[in-house]
Amino acid sequence: MAYEHIQFEINDGLAILTLDRAPLNVLNIAMMKEMNQALDSIGEQPVKVLLIKATGKAFSAGVDVGEHLGDQVNEMIEVFHGIFRRMEALGVPTVAQVQGAALGGGCEVVAYCDLVVASEKATLGQPEIQVGVFPPIAAMVFPRQLGYKKAMELILTGDIIGAAEAKEIGLVNQVVPPEDLEEATQKLLKKLMKLSGLVMRLTKKAAVGGLLDDKAKSLEFIEKVYLKEMMTTRDAEEGLKAFLEKRKPEWTES
């Protein structure tokens, strides 16, 4: 199938989904629908590992801010979260290769992957709070991965961190010079592809189940807060519009 905003291929059990809306790979609804179509197309094919990477200077600068406004936000959330629901259902190990900025929704895609190889030039963060919203997926996975204190620091401040700090706190597995990123990723994939796909899927299932946590219910709860409580506020609308209009927001609610 031909895609406009992504590339997708399956080679000998390795599925490769490439974000291809350079230079910043901003995730709009059309692009995210293609990501979902690609993941759906895997079907019963014998895939062992899913690699998510990107063209251009950034992994992804996040979800299109303009598509957070009005009735579009409901479709945006449904399509965006569909990516993670499909990744969860697929059940195979997932690897992210991060060459540059992974911000907002881009950072959430990275955080949701099981393993992350990043360039020394990569930056990661969830700046959503600065435009009057919060990152739903990060709200779900950051406390599990980073611990509550660090998760809240990143989500509440919107700070953007470098690859070295991301590795230190457990958001990234490996950091390498930019020129070594592809080689390091391939080395990791080679290790994984030598293993039993079934055993890796069961191992991941056991590890996730061992958390004694229900991500489906968690995400459903977070979506309700996001859409029914936050997105109906004046501050959320003001923050998003201020970003699009390139001005400072004027908060009116406390």
Side-chain angles (χ1 to χ4, degrees), residues 7-81:
Q7 299 173 30
F8 185 71
E9 58 182 320
I10 300 176
N11 296 319
D12 297 325
L14 173 63
I16 305 174
L17 195 164
T18 305
L19 309 182
D20 192 19
R21 196 169 178 240
L24 299 180
N25 293 305
V26 173
L27 302 168
N28 62 7
I29 289 174
M31 182 180 185
M32 294 187 292
K33 283 183 175 179
E34 289 188 355
M35 294 172 71
N36 285 330
Q37 290 168 0
L39 293 173
D40 285 340
S41 74
I42 294 175
E44 299 299 318
Q45 298 184 68
V47 167
K48 282 188 177 183
V49 178
L50 169 65
L51 169 66
I52 302 180
K53 61 179 186 175
T55 61
K57 66 180 182 180
F59 178 84
S60 172
V63 177
D64 190 334
V65 173
E67 293 182 344
H68 284 67
L69 294 168
D71 293 337
Q72 234 178 353
V73 68
N74 293 281
E75 181 182 12
M76 181 276 292
I77 285 292
E78 179 183 359
V79 175
F80 181 50
H81 290 180

Side-chain angles (χ1 to χ4, degrees), residues 65 83 119 207 212 236:
V65 173
I83 297 168
S119 160
L212 298 176

